[in-house]
Amino acid sequence: MLESLFRFLFKYPPLMFQQGDFTWGLSRPVLLAVAAGLAVGVGALLTYRGVPSIERLRDRAVLIGLRLGALAILLICLFRPTLILKAAVPQQNFLGVLVDDSRSMMIADLDGKPRSAFIQEQLGAKDAKLLAALSQRFVLRFFSFASSSGRVATAAGAKYDGTATRLAPALERARDELSGLPLAGLVMVTDGADTSDAAIDETLASLKARSIPVFTVGVGAEKFQKDIQVTRVETPRSVLKGSAMVVDVVLSQTGYGGQKVPITVEDDGRLISTQEVALPPDGESATVKVRFTASEAGARLFRFKVPVQTGEQVTQNNARDALMQVNDRVEKVLYYEGEPRSEMKFVSRALEQDANLKLADDKNLQVVTLVRTAENKYYRQHVSSPDEVVGGFPRTREELFGYRALILGSVEAASFTPEQLRMIADFVNKRGGALLMLGGRRSFAEGGWGGTPVGDVLPVVITGAPNTKYFTPLTARPTRAGATFPVTQLMATEEASAKKWDEMPDLSAVNPVREVKPGATILLTGSDKTRQDHIVLAYQRYGRGKAIAMPVQDVWTWRMDAKMAVSDTTHSMFWRRMVRWMVDGVPEQVNVSTTADRVEPGEPVKLSVEVLDGAYVEVNDSRVVAHVTSPSGKTTDLPVDWTVSRDGEYRTSFVPDEAGVYDIKVNAERASAGAAQGPPGSGASQGGASQTNRQPGSASMKVRVSAGDAEYFDAAMRAPLLKRVAEETGGRFFTPATAASLPEAISYSGRGVTVVEERELWDMPALFLALVGLVFAEWGYRRMKGLA
């Protein structure tokens, strides 16, 4: 064809130029031919421009275009472009094939077939086309991976029962086992649903440095057509028995937008709550406030579930489990008033048994009340011992820090010593307790609390001179945050609660508090007769604890006002929830935690222990031991070592070998507690023991060991991750529809043992056919228009 013609015309060797895989040449005759071609092209333009019979501009443009196209093909041939490729030598290179063996591969979202069907049909069957094409070119080594990875003989033996997917360890395992061999690359067939928290960056960088391309084959749908998922459940690790819980449950769905479905809560299989929720629009997530009561003590497994709907593609992601420790213990709260008031009496009554309201005594709360009746004279109630607060407000940190929460009523700041004011601030900041300041004639600015350490802790801004004549009635209403907050949502639903608030009697304030600090949350506001807003209830996190401000003086009217029925429990439930919220999450001297409350069998449990002294200052010289009891009753003692990098932090780990709930109890002892450094001003308690000599104590928690269901959550095929793996290592991303071109793509990736192939692009039959086609097209068009 064209080759013989050009060899005859050009006897001189060409000058060769190369860029990437392409080369082209230019000799002196070629340059002359190029110049001639350009001249002919210009001549073609002038020729057709000067033909008077071509009257229409479109006909002239078509003919010029056809002739220029033919000339362009001739010029391409004159440049003699050549494609240089590095092709893998057949059967001289190894290829690692990694097959996902996890549960998510059984999801049927490929035309009604499970994702694993692609592996079985293309890589597992004897007559598999993709397997045959790869085997002809490479020596194959198969690996399966899920929570762990390893070599397998073939892909046909995959069971697809893995409870986790870890891509990075799988790639590292294949890389290490095939090191030292001529490796063409790695093929990873997976849905990309990586359930591990480990980053994959280092693994990809290592593969790129070793010139090992990864060719990913993504199986599964990138988006489900119909599915409901309980994405996340946010629960505390431990709660007090009888607490009314409000848990955030995040729901996401596709295909059921706007539909109403029930969400249930089960306590170890026993149904304890049901409520109906409206699903968010397709592709969006919504947070639902789910309410229930933790009424049974011990380690409780709560399940949050949405019933399976018609047509769902994944049914295993409709439920989430949460393990919570429900503690049946007494939490102590100190309530201090600087003058006798009705508020203290009604707070105490709210926590006691009331036959009229059919409320039992809250046995998990002990509110110690202390009221100043005269100078240096106090009236105490609900104390645990004759010496408790006998001399008034606690004077040592150990005594104050023995409480979980502190309520300050109408009492002036000047009645406290500077050390006591710092103690109260540290009670919140360091000890992690809760502080609630109520309104009154001696509270907030009227009590001189502005500019004190306690004033710095409070969530409200205390400014201005005291106004002893200030008084205003307030109509309290919840904010958007307060409408769903456990303390201020008075009824079971938001709508019923809003209606109840409209019926509540007014409160009164003698403290003009209208501004909160940045980061504080307002739960209740009140408007006066001039429609000016006041703060009724606000809180903020401060250090380890929380500070609450309620600058109203007569919440007791919610019990005694004529508008309230005798059987109305609003006042009692408000204070019970308030005090329980205050003591919730208050840390101990020894606190133990894990990264997760559920681990896979064989997965290490990592324990982190925080140890504090009696002043809640971190200590590094404790002897810490973890007593681990397995589900079968086998016990193990583990030393827990100080991390050195952080004060008061100790760590250890163990690998569970049984399924079930493990009981972990941590004990911390100090050989010489007197060596600890306490805060300035720390002294002996009235019991005679120094707070620095107080032993840290113990803490306990539960860990559940069971096969996880993470494979079914966010289980759509993750194409972005698989594309990134391929691109960063020099490979390519494929789908089942394009997987047929995988063998050729690997062969020409240039890795392993290769041979150079040169393909002369200018001598391809396609160019000759295109040239002939353009010439005949020009002739045919001229004949059709009568120009031949």
Side-chain angles (χ1 to χ4, degrees), residues 21-23 81-85 757-761:
D21 293 332
F22 292 91
T23 62
T82 302
L83 177 63
I84 300 178
L85 297 174
E757 292 184 359
E758 294 187 7
R759 298 184 180 182
E760 295 181 330
L761 301 179

Side-chain angles (χ1 to χ4, degrees), residues 46 208 260 300 355 405 476 491 560 578 586 610 613 689:
L46 295 176
K208 183 178 180 180
K260 291 186 177 181
R300 313 300 298 180
M491 307 299 286
M560 297 302 294
M578 170 69 80
V586 177
E610 180 187 42
D613 65 12

Side-chain angles (χ1 to χ4, degrees), residues 489-685:
Q489 182 174 326
L490 303 180
M491 307 299 286
T493 64
E494 291 185 46
E495 295 77 12
S497 179
K499 184 178 180 181
K500 183 66 177 179
W501 276 109
D502 291 337
E503 300 170 355
M504 295 295 288
D506 288 348
L507 303 174
S508 66
V510 293
N511 311 105
V513 179
R514 302 186 179 92
E515 185 180 355
V516 296
K517 296 174 182 176
T521 301
I522 303 174
L523 299 176
L524 295 176
T525 60
S527 57
D528 57 22
K529 294 180 179 180
T530 62
R531 295 184 179 180
Q532 189 172 10
D533 285 340
H534 295 246
I535 305 300
V536 174
L537 183 61
Y539 80 97
Q540 70 175 1
R541 298 295 305 183
Y542 191 88
R544 285 197 180 107
K546 51 181 171 278
I548 310 164
M550 194 171 185
V552 290
Q553 64 170 350
D554 51 2
V555 181
W556 58 268
T557 59
W558 289 351
R559 180 74 183 96
M560 297 302 294
D561 192 276
K563 295 173 61 176
M564 306 299 291
V566 175
S567 59
D568 194 297
T569 61
T570 302
H571 178 265
S572 297
M573 297 307 299
F574 173 82
W575 277 113
R576 291 187 181 211
R577 292 175 179 175
M578 170 69 80
V579 178
R580 282 177 172 269
W581 171 51
M582 292 177 67
V583 300
D584 179 56
V586 177
E588 305 284 355
Q589 283 185 248
V590 179
N591 302 285
V592 59
S593 63
T594 61
T595 54
D597 62 1
R598 189 206 60 79
V599 297
E600 297 277 342
E603 182 181 355
V605 176
K606 299 178 181 179
L607 298 178
S608 178
V609 181
E610 180 187 42
V611 182
L612 310 170
D613 65 12
Y616 283 78
V617 176
E618 298 87 351
V619 294
N620 304 325
D621 59 352
S622 288
R623 178 178 177 271
V624 184
V625 178
H627 306 278
V628 180
T629 304
S630 69
S632 64
K634 183 176 64 176
T635 60
T636 306
D637 288 349
L638 301 173
V640 189
D641 300 323
W642 177 41
T643 61
V644 179
S645 60
R646 182 177 177 183
D647 288 338
E649 185 180 60
Y650 299 73
R651 289 183 181 177
T652 191
S653 64
F654 70 94
V655 178
D657 55 4
E658 298 179 24
V661 177
Y662 279 72
D663 183 29
I664 302 171
K665 184 177 181 180
V666 177
N667 290 326
E669 297 179 354
R670 303 185 66 188
S672 178
Q677 294 292 327
S682 297
S685 68

